[in-house]
Structure formats: structure tokens, C-alpha cells
Amino acid sequence: TSSPAGSDADNWMGEDPAIAEDQIAETIEADVIVVGTGVAGSVAACAAMESGASVIMLDKGVVNHIGGPACSILNSQFQLSQGMDEYDPTEQLYELVRESNWTANTALIALWAFHSGEVLDWIIDEVIAFDPTADGQLETPLYARAFAEASPDPEICKWRNTGVYLGTSDVPSNMGDFIKVLQNYAVKHGAQLRFQNKVVKIVQDDVDKVTGVIAEQADGSYTRYNAANGVVMATGSFGSNAAMRDAFLKPKIAQAFATNNVGESFMPEPPAEPLDNGEGHMMMCRIGAHMEQYPNPHNEYAQSTIMGVPFLAVNDAGLRFVNEAQSMLCYADLLCEQPGEELVYWTIIPDDYATSGMSSTNVAVDEAGNIVNPFSDAQYDMLQNGVKADTIEELVKQMDGID
């Protein structure tokens, strides 16, 4: 297993549990076993089922994981019909690879650039059309339109307007309803959906071919699931696994994950056990898979009550450190490169923000693009109690030494 210099793979990988044959209460056969029932697992199950495979979906929880409110999709007919921009997929592919300093997996980004639109159109044409209760589940994100209005100059803002909410427009984080639509589609076409099945081991035959998994039931017994054609692992990230964070993320990003597990922030209630704890990674690595060397891709956000265009972001030295038109992930990565031990930056906001027509990338707007309650009461109080000055130079002097 590949891991960064100085890390000890044994500290994070663990071992497969010893499961005796008489502990296995049941054996179930299927063509494809999908482990994890979030968006990735549910779409994978639908695709396998459409190809004619018998499918079983397994999840350790009592509900599926909800990891966010939206997905990034390029050039779907749905987006184009809503007036969203059409992009050159080849140009976007190489732009994203360049922005990652050539560390991103080009083949994976190419799948998104050339095929994500097809997937969304299939979901709309097949899944939503199949389940009329899903009406209104897909809404283009109005924040993206507001962003373009706030910073229209492409030399300043290269924002990709590619987001599609996977939930209702009034509750943009309600992606759980959309996932249920995908799952209902799969189940009504023959797939099985089984919660409280915690996969603990990937099974191989004598020549190391993966033949299935073993899952622990709520009562402590085990079920063997044999997969004739393959196992799909869609088990999330390792954001809540301290040993894996330390082994595979840069120190400050690991620190950010330790204080903010975004993987659980969209769940309607706290899960019974930590999500995104790397269990799938560990099981796969125990049978010979390899973790990428860092700098690893990560899914951690720079958390701030107010951020993004048109507000200026500076570090503790008063220096602008990011193009504010970048994504929150870019904020997080660049913030981790700033001097000092703390993950802190400052947002510079003009006094007339409320009357100037400016809006941040993450505030609500109505269908006409007008600002709706641009700041919450807590944000407003924070602004009133913030550091104030007439010039940035004066502001930096006041910022020095302030927690």
C-alpha cells in the first residue's frame, strides 16, 4: 500500500475481522453488490440494474448518507434549457487539471466533463419521469446566477456555473428526497435495498478475484453476499478517520477536518456512528488497492459565515491570498498554505454592502436575482462588532493581535 513518507500504514489500515463459517447466518446471491447508498451508490445501482444485472444495495445506517445539497454537472439539456452556460468540455478538463497544479486524475475529470450531462439527462428522462412525486426536485442554483451578476468580467471570475441542486428549491440541502427517488426507481425495477448491513470484509477467491462481501447485521450475525459480476464500493471519504487524515492529508487540512466533518453536516440528524470514516478504503487496501500519495484530493471547505465575490479575503498579514472567484475547496487549500498555526482569514466588506446591490456567492436571491435577506442576524451582529477602518492599511494595524 502506498502512503506518504514517515507514515505507518498499519496505523490506519487495520485488519479484516476473523469470521468463522458458522457465524454466517445467510448467503445471498446477486450479479452486482453496491456498498453505500448515497448518490454515487444509488446511481451505480440504477446503471447496473438497467444493464440487466440483479442488484443488492447495502448500507450500514438506517438511512443513506447525505453528503451535500448539489452536484456539478456539465452541459446537460436540463441546464441549457434553464439558460445556464454551455462549456467546451475539453477546455474545462484541462483548466481543472491546470488549477490542480497537474495533480488531479485526468481520466476521472474527463468522465465528468464529457458524460455528467448525459447522466443528469438520463435521471430526468427516466427516473423523474418514472416517479411523478419527484416533480420539482431539480432546481438550478440561483446563487450561481447571482455570482455571475456580481462579477461578470471573465478575466476576474472564471466561475463554472455547473451546479444542480439535488433537492427542493425551498430546502436546497434536502438531497435525501432525491436519493430516495433514485432508490425507488432501482427497487421498482428489481433491485434490493438493505439498510443496517455493515460491510466488514471484501471476499476473494483463490486467485484473488473479488467475489462478494460479508456484512454484519444489527443483531451481530453475518450475511455473505456473493456477487457474480462485481462489487461497487461507494462508501464515502475518510474525513472522520484521524489516522487516515494524518497519513494522507497536509497537516492544516487534517486539522480542518478534525474540527469540521462536512460529510455529516447535511444529515437530518446525527448518525449512529461516524460517517466518512474510511472503512471502504481500508477494506480495499487490505486486498491490495493503493492510496494515492498526497497532496490528496480532499472534500473540506474553508468555513466562514461570509465568503466569496465580491468581498476581499486577506490573511493575518493583510495580504490577499486567493482569487475570491474560486471555489470553497480552493479557499480551504490556499488557507492551509498561509503563515501561522491557525486556520484564520479575514473578509473585507464595505460599509455600504447592504445598499450597493452586491451579493455574496452563497446568499439567497429570488428568481429575479434580487437579494433576499443577504445576511442572517448572526452575520449582521458579527459585522457590527467587526474591526472597522477607513483604509485597508489602517485595518491591518487593528487586525494585528486580534483573535
Side-chain angles (χ1 to χ4, degrees):
T1 299
S2 174
S3 56
S7 69
D8 183 357
D10 291 336
N11 287 339
W12 63 266
M13 196 189 307
E15 298 180 354
D16 280 334
I19 302 172
E21 194 65 28
D22 60 6
Q23 292 179 277
I24 297 177
E26 186 179 16
T27 298
I28 300 175
E29 309 284 339
D31 293 328
V32 175
I33 305 297
V34 178
V35 183
T37 62
V39 170
S42 297
V43 171
C46 288
M49 177 271 304
E50 281 222 325
S51 70
S54 59
V55 179
I56 298 176
M57 306 166 66
L58 304 177
D59 199 288
K60 68 180 180 181
V62 295
V63 295
N64 51 263
H65 181 197
I66 302 171
C71 281
S72 179
I73 306 291
L74 199 69
N75 295 342
S76 70
Q77 292 302 309
F78 170 77
Q79 292 165 296
L80 299 179
S81 71
Q82 297 294 308
M84 297 177 76
D85 296 329
E86 183 171 7
Y87 297 93
D88 181 326
T90 301
E91 179 181 314
Q92 293 304 311
L93 166 63
Y94 287 105
E95 182 68 17
L96 282 166
V97 173
R98 183 193 65 78
E99 289 176 3
S100 73
N101 199 27
W102 312 102
T103 61
N105 186 318
T106 304
L108 287 178
I109 296 179
L111 284 175
W112 168 80
F114 289 97
H115 299 292
S116 61
E118 299 172 8
V119 173
L120 181 61
D121 290 332
W122 168 80
I123 290 173
I124 292 172
D125 294 341
E126 296 293 331
V127 178
I128 292 182
F130 170 79
D131 188 345
T133 62
D135 286 351
Q137 291 296 306
L138 288 171
E139 298 288 343
T140 53
L142 293 177
Y143 70 81
R145 293 174 183 163
F147 191 103
E149 291 166 3
S151 182
D153 187 344
E155 294 302 316
I156 298 174
C157 171
K158 288 192 175 182
W159 182 264
R160 298 170 186 87
N161 187 2
T162 62
V164 175
Y165 279 131
L166 298 179
T168 56
S169 58
D170 58 332
V171 188
S173 63
N174 193 21
M175 191 166 65
D177 287 345
F178 182 83
I179 296 174
K180 290 177 183 176
V181 171
L182 288 169
Q183 293 171 350
N184 288 342
Y185 178 82
V187 169
K188 289 179 181 178
H189 284 79
Q192 296 183 45
L193 176 60
R194 297 185 172 214
F195 289 107
Q196 293 186 289
N197 272 256
K198 181 179 179 179
V199 173
V200 295
K201 183 176 182 178
I202 298 172
V203 179
Q204 296 173 282
D205 63 14
D206 293 338
V207 293
D208 293 335
K209 176 184 176 181
V210 172
T211 58
V213 299
I214 296 176
E216 183 178 4
Q217 307 296 314
D219 62 4
S221 65
Y222 294 95
T223 300
R224 176 188 285 115
Y225 292 95
N226 290 334
N229 294 343
V231 173
V232 177
M233 299 293 287
T235 54
S237 77
F238 56 83
S240 64
N241 184 314
M244 294 186 73
R245 290 196 307 261
D246 292 342
F248 296 106
L249 297 178
K250 290 182 286 188
K252 282 189 176 179
I253 291 180
Q255 175 188 342
F257 266 105
T259 57
N260 178 51
N261 181 3
V262 297
E264 297 180 6
S265 60
F266 291 95
M267 295 294 289
E269 58 186 47
E273 59 179 287
L275 302 175
D276 293 300
N277 58 1
E279 290 174 325
H281 297 73
M282 292 186 285
M283 284 186 280
M284 288 186 284
C285 286
R286 290 198 291 261
I287 65 169
H290 293 265
M291 295 288 291
E292 292 178 313
Q293 296 274 1
Y294 69 61
N296 273 67
H298 59 88
N299 187 26
E300 175 59 38
Y301 303 131
Q303 294 298 308
S304 170
T305 51
I306 303 170
M307 66 183 297
V309 168
F311 307 131
L312 194 67
V314 299
N315 63 17
D316 262 352
L319 300 175
R320 182 171 179 244
F321 67 92
V322 63
N323 179 348
E324 292 80 2
Q326 297 289 350
S327 72
M328 289 187 287
L329 294 177
C330 291
Y331 264 86
D333 217 20
L334 291 169
L335 179 59
C336 290
E337 301 296 335
Q338 302 311 303
E341 296 181 0
E342 300 297 324
L343 292 166
V344 174
Y345 74 96
W346 296 79
T347 301
I348 312 300
I349 300 174
D351 280 342
D352 62 349
Y353 68 90
T355 58
S356 64
M358 295 187 301
S359 64
S360 175
T361 62
N362 61 341
V363 302
V365 298
D366 60 22
E367 292 184 358
N370 300 312
I371 300 173
V372 178
N373 185 23
F375 299 107
S376 67
D377 291 342
Q379 290 172 335
Y380 184 80
D381 289 343
M382 182 190 68
L383 289 170
Q384 297 307 304
N385 296 323
V387 177
K388 297 181 181 180
D390 292 329
T391 67
I392 291 180
E393 289 76 15
E394 294 176 5
L395 192 63
V396 171
K397 294 178 181 178
Q398 296 191 58
M399 288 160 50
D400 186 36
I402 296 177
D403 292 333

